[in-house]
Amino acid sequence: MTTPLVEMRDISIAFGGVHAVDHVSVDLFPGEVVGLLGHNGAGKSTLIKILSGAYRADSGEIRINGEKAEISNPRDARAYKIETIYQTLALADNLDAASNLFLGRELVTPFGMVDDDAMEAETRKIMARLNPNFRKFNVPVSALSGGQRQSVAIARAVYFDAKILIMDEPTAALGPHETQMVAELIQQLKAQGIGIFLISHDIHDVMKLCDRASVMKNGKLVGTVNVEDVTDDDLLGMIILGKPPAGTA
Amino acid sequence: MAEISQNPVQKRRGLIESLDIDMRLVGMIGALVLISLAFNLATGGAYLSPRNIFNLTIQTVSVAIMATGMVFVIVTRNIDLSVGALLAICSAMMAMTQARWLPGMLGLELGSPLIAPLTVVVGLVTGTLIGAMNGWLVGYQLIPAFIVTLGGFLIWRFAGWYLTSGQTIAPLDQTFLLFGGAEGTLGETWSWILGLALSLVALWAIWSARRSKLAHDFPVKPLGAELALAGMAVAAILGFVAILNAYAIPKGKLRRLFEAQGMELPEGYSAGHGLPYSVLILILVAVVMTVIARRTRLGRYIFATGGNPDAAELSGINTRLLTVKVFALMGFLCGLSAVVASARLQSHANDIGTLDELRVIAAAVIGGTALAGGSGTIYGAILGALIMQSLASGMGMVGVDSPLQNIVVGAVLVFAVWIDIQYRKRWGKT
């Protein structure tokens, strides 16, 4: 068996007495898409924010490629090649696409000055691949549509050779055409051996895109199943009732 | 790549858009021209005399220097109400250093060439340290900037009072006084040389930006438009130098200067002031701050944090340390302003810089810095300071009562922000 790309073991975090994530373990293999399902407040975003460095777990450990990883801030996560597409997209609305794509990792000239033209050129290249219709390179991203903003956020995650990609509700703000584009992108990235955590509350997305699904309820892990082995109703049952379907667990 | 370069972004663009002219800049320059012409008419030409323009310029420097720092503070969604008080404590520290401590305790002779540089260092360090402390309280201790600096507003001026026992300290070191304005100018020849050098720098900046865009196959402005802008920049720089050179040094002062060298004033000799050192400092600050804002990571992070603090944090930016840096820079600039302000007044009095915090904030805001954070420009803040000083000094010359002067400046501040909001609504610019 190959070494998991990510192992999150026995992770717990509490906010003011509320156990947002309560002894949860999940893992992710190379080239695999794992869906994280659950109601709002089930703890899936919180769990993933621990992996992306936005929160620190109270207890539990994270292993990357089998080795214990210390992730205490987003910079650490980036060092482990973990990239995140947040549900809120986490874009600085007042900056243009290139500035957002390279935020925190700017290209600089030999004199240490930010090289906007070089960054724009790189942004044009990756956008030509991800979203060929994208033209608005010189305006603040606040002037972009939901789909265009999403493609900037995706470009940022993909550009820097992520090994582990976290997508938090990547299709929530998108139309059917753009949703299809995201689906194709996920297939492409899978083929490159990238592991993807896909957070969603849309069961159809998960059934279509994921290999396995982990379901959470009230901060606890209900169970992890192979998507092939279950039906939509099984997953729905796990989400609502918080019980693994008979025969799989 | 090939198919991109064949796609010139938006072929049909309006003339103004293709020139990429900042409408807010045009508006502010328009307002400044209008104010100047109106006062010039009302004063029978005295307002736009070289002498008054010279005075106006040196009166603006102190507030303008601090306003550039305030842009960064406000862009990161903070505020600094303590800049006037910081200026006062820096000025007090420097006054004590040059008039008491260095001559008294360290035994440096009065007039020693070491006094001025050491004094300036003390002022800058004082400002930077207090600023950094403000930033630490805001960034790491999470006390709202409004409260931290409101406290500083009450603390620092009166800390300065204790330092000087409330006394006005004068005279100050002769070399130090050169930073004040009229006492220290480059003279005509060096002003022209500097003007030409600045023009070359401006041309180089425009040219290299264009070259870089062409190298990446990006759309550029029409060459004619670029040349016109370059011409305007050069004309503005050289015109400004010409005006400052045209303000002749008074005969009595020239005679004293010659006598100090043991010579007699030759018959019919005259000399212009040229560029004051204080204005030179402001130009330097403006250039450096603009480069920081536009071309450094620090500047990029300042604007990103102002636009979306969470996104900045998630991008791995240490926004707490950034807050410390921004406030430390603000403090440094307060120290620099204190050098210029106390040298111009040729003394340290405890009320130095009173109400400057409001002038500085107003200058930044009139210059288009949004209190919501994320947007603002350095040149806007300097123009804002110039507009406010123009109003104050013009109304003074026309003989408007001082209460009414304040009323007008207040109304202009509110009006300017209203215009800005309308502009944003209409054009959707940030």
Side-chain angles (χ1 to χ4, degrees), chain B residues 315-356:
Chain B
S315 299
I317 295 168
N318 187 342
T319 54
R320 295 174 168 202
L321 185 60
L322 187 76
T323 305
V324 175
K325 287 181 188 166
V326 167
F327 274 94
L329 183 58
M330 180 77 250
F332 174 86
L333 293 170
C334 289
L336 199 56
S337 280
V339 172
V340 172
S342 63
R344 186 168 79 83
L345 299 171
Q346 310 204 346
S347 65
H348 165 78
N350 200 47
D351 67 347
I352 191 169
T354 302
L355 288 185
D356 267 8

Side-chain angles (χ1 to χ4, degrees), chain A residues 9-213:
Chain A
R9 285 187 190 164
D10 216 19
I11 302 284
S12 293
I13 188 171
F15 298 105
V18 178
H19 294 279
V21 175
D22 198 358
H23 298 286
V24 171
S25 299
V26 291
D27 52 10
L28 178 69
F29 289 87
E32 185 190 37
V33 183
V34 171
L36 280 176
L37 278 162
H39 279 310
N40 288 335
K44 45 193 200 308
S45 285
T46 308
L47 176 69
I48 231 60
K49 278 189 172 166
I50 292 169
L51 182 59
S52 65
Y55 297 145
R56 272 195 97 156
D58 297 334
S59 66
E61 69 168 17
I62 299 173
R63 289 175 170 270
I64 308 284
N65 290 321
E67 285 175 32
K68 195 167 161 32
E70 283 299 331
I71 300 176
S72 53
N73 59 46
R75 267 160 291 162
D76 294 345
R78 284 181 166 189
Y80 285 110
K81 298 276 183 192
I82 300 170
E83 294 288 335
T84 310
I85 301 164
Y86 293 96
Q87 187 175 6
T88 56
L89 302 185
L91 299 174
D93 277 337
N94 54 333
L95 303 182
D96 62 16
S99 301
N100 269 294
L101 204 156
F102 286 92
L103 190 57
R105 292 179 280 205
E106 287 75 9
L107 300 179
V108 293
T109 64
F111 303 107
M113 297 282 139
V114 168
D115 195 342
D116 281 312
D117 290 334
M119 290 193 286
E120 187 182 327
E122 287 299 309
T123 307
R124 281 175 186 268
K125 267 189 225 167
I126 186 155
M127 285 314 230
R129 194 152 68 80
L130 290 178
N131 185 355
N133 296 320
F134 192 91
R135 290 279 179 281
K136 297 187 166 174
F137 290 99
N138 291 310
V139 296
V141 294
S142 59
L144 306 184
S145 72
Q148 290 167 334
R149 290 162 58 82
Q150 187 83 39
S151 49
V152 174
I154 292 175
R156 174 167 60 185
V158 174
Y159 179 82
F160 294 95
D161 296 326
K163 294 278 173 284
I164 300 151
L165 193 59
I166 301 165
M167 300 173 118
D168 193 350
E169 302 281 0
T171 58
L174 302 185
H177 175 67
E178 286 150 329
T179 304
Q180 186 54 38
M181 268 173 37
V182 171
E184 281 164 17
L185 178 71
I186 289 176
Q187 294 305 327
Q188 260 181 46
L189 297 172
K190 250 178 83 119
Q192 294 167 21
I194 294 171
I196 300 174
F197 274 121
L198 182 72
I199 302 174
S200 182
H201 55 246
D202 183 340
I203 291 178
H204 300 291
D205 265 6
V206 172
M207 290 299 282
K208 201 172 71 184
L209 299 170
C210 298
D211 302 301
R212 289 188 297 144

Side-chain angles (χ1 to χ4, degrees), chain B residues 18 66 86:
Chain B
S18 77
M66 289 189 284
L86 235 66

